[in-house]
Amino acid sequence: MIRNALGSLLGLIGAAAAVRSPFRAWYDGRLGRDYRVQELFTATGITDARATLLGSILLPYLFAAVLALCAVLLRSRLLMALAGAVVLGFTVLWTVRQGQAAGSLTVGGTTSPLGDGLAHAYGAGALILLGAAIMRGRPLPPHSTTTPPEAYPPAERP
């Protein structure tokens, strides 16, 4: 029970951090909510076009937060791990696409550094996966090793 509570708490904290991350700077002072989800999957890649709030990268993080909440309610390690994979998958995909658009990515320094919103997204995905690893999940139904008498033919019943 303690493991489920701790894993659920970590998963929910990670889900909240994932939803908060697009409202922080991701790259060169640009907020994560300004990036369109479609840009991650098109040949043009990341552009300077601004996104609507629900058309932004916030959408997959909201989906992951709902998955994490369902995982807590159902005590499902699989759903919690899936939520963490969604967060980390979209964060890695954004990082790759931004690296292609910018030519290179820099951490720190004076020219176009990666922002703390991206770090929050990576940390959120890791927290959700850690929560899934800690959770025990639902208990298995009791397993009987004895065969009930009804399973034998009438002539062989004990």
Side-chain angles (χ1 to χ4, degrees), residues 54-139:
L54 287 180
S56 71
I57 201 160
L58 174 67
L59 186 63
Y61 295 148
L62 281 175
F63 176 72
V66 169
L67 275 180
L69 183 61
C70 289
V72 168
L73 294 176
L74 298 173
R75 293 186 300 186
S76 171
R77 293 176 70 182
L78 182 64
L79 278 179
M80 187 70 77
L82 181 63
V86 166
V87 171
L88 283 177
F90 274 92
T91 306
V92 167
L93 183 60
W94 177 88
T95 304
V96 168
R97 298 300 280 175
Q98 181 62 42
Q100 289 173 340
S104 68
L105 294 176
T106 59
V107 179
T110 58
T111 59
S112 303
L114 293 171
D116 60 344
L118 185 63
H120 286 181
Y122 276 114
L127 265 179
I128 295 171
L129 286 178
L130 182 63
I134 291 175
M135 286 177 72
R136 289 186 90 168
R138 286 184 283 184

Side-chain angles (χ1 to χ4, degrees), residues 30-42 44-60 90 94 97:
R30 188 174 172 191
L31 300 179
R33 67 178 184 206
D34 292 337
Y35 295 100
R36 293 187 297 181
V37 174
Q38 296 89 345
E39 292 177 346
L40 301 178
F41 302 104
T42 61
T44 59
I46 294 183
T47 64
D48 289 335
R50 303 287 181 194
T52 61
L53 188 60
L54 287 180
S56 71
I57 201 160
L58 174 67
L59 186 63
F90 274 92
W94 177 88
R97 298 300 280 175

